[in-house]
């Protein structure tokens, strides 16, 4: 496990309420933050991360600390990071979520200059946005030119459509219907699924108007948002297909059935005892396919990242990227332009290790640290995403399992699926281990 030092926490700790409210940092503030950044890298932090997109907000709706940081603050913290040792400067740039189509190209200018000055890599989030579906290509070209000129700019790329999982166990279109609200408070999860399957309950929920939205509550408008997105909300199937065709949208399925789209959505979410989840891609799917993702992945300095497996754990589940890269991109893609298995493995292992300065690993070579997965590629399969309730205070998160991992050799140990050392050593694999 590795960690980067987050700008927001450093700013709030150092500047208090001024930092949390994104007030400008003084020279003394920057000096104090810089000391913390250097200490963190010296203590083992892999780098420094910041967010500048308006899509990232605190629970009270305020942009996260550091969103509007001026260049003197960014460069001061970048220099402090470099002074601490081998580390990477990472960010979600302005406009990353499509809220500003001019900002992302402007951000590349200071990123290029910062990387050149501190001689450290700068990695930035790169996704396709609906507001300008071709903006990513301009960013890719600019970063490639900067990289060739000596600046170490690395676009960070999501391996599949980037968005939310929708279902009765999480966010969905009926959360503001009075009948749904009432029965949810009356019963547990299993009984709720049974109640939702009652035709009378379904009819009541579909016939009702939404309760008013509370603008002070984060995500309180999610139900209305989903209701207006049925033309881009996809049924994934089992195993899940993360490059679904247009006929798999809720709107298209409803048209084929001759039904009301909301009724179709209700039935689709009701499958598998009301645990089925659908995909609402917010980014990387403006063209209805993954062609843009493929081109991003071929960028010579691009890195595979942007996994939100933990950041938004109740609505996003992208921690299965490593398996998806093997199944979809190296084996299954129906469009025919699959990527070589060796390339996909290298992008995940060697390239990532090199970017973060972890030169003791990433390749299978004498003297290197190597954890090896033994995989049955014919049986490698992703399972549908499912909600788990194992966080403190009953908090929930979306998990996704996979089949086909035969064994894992961790620096010479073979482990079972529960992580227990089997006692076997290289040359003695244990069936059923992972």
């Amino acid at each position: 496990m590795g960690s980067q030092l987050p700008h927001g926490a450093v700013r709030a700790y150092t500047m208090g309420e001024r930092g949390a409210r994104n007030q400008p940092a003084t020279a003394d503030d920057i000096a104090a933050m810089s000391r913390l950044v250097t200490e963190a890298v010296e203590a083992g932090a892999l780098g420094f991360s910041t967010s500048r997109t308006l899509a990232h907000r605190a629970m009270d709706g305020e942009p996260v600390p550091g969103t509007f940081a001026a260049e003197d603050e960014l460069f001061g913290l970048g220099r402090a990071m470099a002074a601490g040792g081998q580390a990477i400067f990472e960010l979600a740039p302005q406009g990353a979520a499509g809220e500003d189509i001019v900002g992302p190209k402007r951000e590349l200018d200071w990123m290029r200059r910062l990387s050149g000055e501190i001689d450290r890599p700068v990695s930035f989030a790169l996704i396709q946005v609906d507001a300008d579906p071709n903006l990513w290509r301009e960013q890719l070209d600019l970063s490639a030119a900067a990289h060739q000129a000596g600046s170490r700019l690395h676009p960070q790329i999501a391996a599949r459509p980037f968005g939310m999982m929708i279902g009765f166990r999480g966010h969905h279109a009926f959360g503001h219907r009075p009948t749904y609200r009432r029965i949810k408070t009356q019963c547990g999860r299993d009984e709720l699924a049974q109640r939702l399957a009652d035709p009378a309950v379904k009819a009541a929920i579909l016939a009702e108007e939404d309760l008013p939205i509370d603008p002070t509550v984060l995500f309180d408008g999610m139900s209305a948002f989903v209701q207006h997105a049925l033309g881009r909300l996809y049924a994934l199937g089992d195993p899940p297909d993360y490059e679904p065709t247009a006929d798999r949208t809720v709107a298209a399925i409803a048209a084929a059935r001759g039904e009301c789209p909301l009724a179709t959505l209700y039935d689709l979410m009701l499958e598998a005892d009301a645990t089925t989840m659908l995909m609402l891609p917010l980014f990387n799917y403006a063209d209805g396919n993954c062609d843009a993702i493929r081109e991003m992945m071929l960028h010579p300095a691009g890195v595979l990242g942007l996994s939100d497996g933990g950041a938004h754990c109740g609505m996003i589940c992208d921690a299965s990227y490593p398996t998806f890269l093997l199944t979809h991109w190296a084996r299954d893609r129906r469009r025919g332009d699959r990527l070589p298995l060796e390339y996909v493995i290298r992008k995940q292992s060697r390239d990532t290790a090199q970017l973060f300065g972890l030169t003791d690993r990433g390749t299978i070579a004498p003297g290197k640290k190597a954890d090896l997965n033994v995989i049955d590629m014919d049986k490698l399969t992703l399972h549908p995403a499912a909600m788990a309730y194992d966080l403190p205070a009953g908090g929930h998160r979306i998990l996704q399992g996979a089949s086909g991992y035969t064994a894992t050799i961790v620096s010479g140990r073979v482990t079972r699926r529960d992580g227990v050392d089997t006692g076997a050593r290289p040359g003695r694999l244990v069936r059923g281990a992972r």
Side-chain angles (χ1 to χ4, degrees):
M1 177 183 291
S3 177
Q4 293 172 287
L5 185 68
H7 190 181
V10 173
R11 211 174 198 272
Y13 177 82
T14 304
M15 298 173 58
E17 189 67 17
R18 291 187 302 113
R21 297 300 172 188
N22 277 300
Q23 294 182 20
T26 65
D28 288 342
D29 292 330
I30 296 173
M33 286 189 285
S34 295
R35 287 192 292 272
L36 292 175
V37 172
T38 300
E39 289 174 8
V41 175
E42 289 175 343
L46 295 178
F48 175 84
S49 65
T50 187
S51 173
R52 297 170 59 76
T53 172
L54 293 176
H56 289 163
R57 295 177 180 269
M59 289 297 291
D60 60 1
E62 288 291 323
V64 297
T67 299
F68 309 109
E71 193 170 295
D72 61 341
E73 181 176 347
L74 296 170
F75 274 62
L77 299 179
R79 295 184 194 105
M81 182 199 77
Q86 301 293 309
I88 180 173
F89 192 105
E90 184 271 336
L91 72 149
Q94 288 180 4
E99 75 276 16
D100 176 1
I101 61 174
V102 177
K105 289 183 286 187
R106 186 172 56 239
E107 294 277 87
L108 280 165
D109 175 65
W110 72 258
M111 284 190 265
R112 174 185 57 80
R113 289 186 284 108
L114 174 63
S115 177
E117 178 181 325
I118 66 177
D119 191 27
R120 299 304 310 145
V122 174
S123 177
F124 64 96
L126 178 64
I127 50 180
Q128 183 188 43
V129 297
D130 288 1
D132 188 347
N134 291 308
L135 177 61
W136 65 270
R137 186 170 282 113
E138 297 179 57
Q139 295 173 268
L140 210 62
D141 292 342
L142 289 171
S143 64
H147 196 81
Q148 292 173 356
S151 294
R152 300 163 66 180
L153 292 189
H154 296 267
Q156 190 176 145
I157 299 154
R160 71 184 188 210
F162 196 71
M164 300 185 302
M165 304 301 292
I166 302 299
F168 277 126
R169 290 292 177 94
H171 293 283
H172 55 82
F174 308 107
H176 274 59
R177 299 290 167 97
T179 297
Y180 176 82
R181 287 278 185 95
R182 187 184 71 255
I183 64 173
K184 185 180 180 182
T185 62
Q186 295 173 346
C187 52
R189 289 186 295 271
D190 293 338
E191 185 183 350
L192 176 62
Q194 297 175 7
R195 297 284 299 277
L196 291 170
D198 184 336
V201 171
K202 172 186 173 181
I205 291 175
L206 290 174
E208 292 171 341
E209 297 290 331
D210 285 343
L211 296 169
I213 295 171
D214 184 348
T216 66
V217 177
L218 198 65
F219 300 124
D220 203 49
M222 188 62 67
S223 293
F225 177 72
V226 174
Q227 291 173 24
H228 291 89
L230 303 185
R232 61 179 304 170
L233 179 60
Y234 293 88
L236 296 176
D238 183 7
D241 178 2
Y242 287 103
E243 192 173 8
T245 50
D247 63 313
R248 297 303 300 160
T249 65
V250 172
I253 295 172
R257 294 178 178 179
E259 296 178 342
C260 164
L262 281 178
T264 298
L265 173 61
Y266 192 104
D267 288 340
L268 290 171
M269 294 194 304
L270 200 59
E271 294 175 358
D273 295 326
T275 63
T276 293
M277 309 198 83
L278 291 79
M279 179 181 73
L280 179 56
L282 303 179
F283 310 107
N284 274 8
Y285 219 58
D287 303 320
N289 58 60
C290 293
D291 289 351
I293 299 173
R294 184 181 188 279
E295 190 170 336
M296 293 182 204
M297 290 172 61
L298 292 173
H299 187 287
V303 292
L304 298 173
L306 286 181
S307 172
D308 258 334
H312 310 89
C313 56
M315 65 175 64
I316 293 177
C317 185
D318 296 330
S320 60
Y321 275 2
T323 301
F324 177 77
L325 283 158
L326 297 175
T327 55
H328 183 79
W329 287 110
R331 189 189 67 189
D332 295 339
R333 196 178 190 223
R334 59 180 170 267
R335 296 172 69 87
D337 49 0
R338 294 182 289 272
L339 297 172
L341 179 61
E342 298 88 344
Y343 181 81
V344 170
I345 293 173
R346 193 199 81 198
K347 294 295 284 187
Q348 294 191 70
S349 54
R350 176 194 175 278
D351 290 4
T352 304
Q354 291 291 320
L355 175 66
F356 283 91
L358 303 175
T359 56
D360 64 334
R361 68 198 69 200
T363 59
I364 303 173
K368 300 282 188 175
K369 176 178 174 60
D371 299 344
L372 305 178
N373 281 304
V374 181
I375 301 172
D376 186 333
M377 282 296 290
D378 292 333
K379 295 181 179 179
L380 190 61
T381 306
L382 277 172
H383 303 163
M387 194 70 75
Y389 299 84
D390 56 356
L391 296 180
H396 58 277
R397 58 179 177 151
I398 304 175
L399 300 179
Q400 188 170 15
S403 300
Y405 289 91
T406 303
T408 296
I409 304 173
V410 182
S411 298
R413 296 185 298 113
V414 179
T415 63
R416 297 200 313 249
R417 291 186 181 277
D418 58 7
V420 174
D421 189 348
T422 65
R425 294 297 179 258
R428 289 182 58 219
L429 295 183
V430 177
R431 292 190 179 278
R434 179 171 66 89

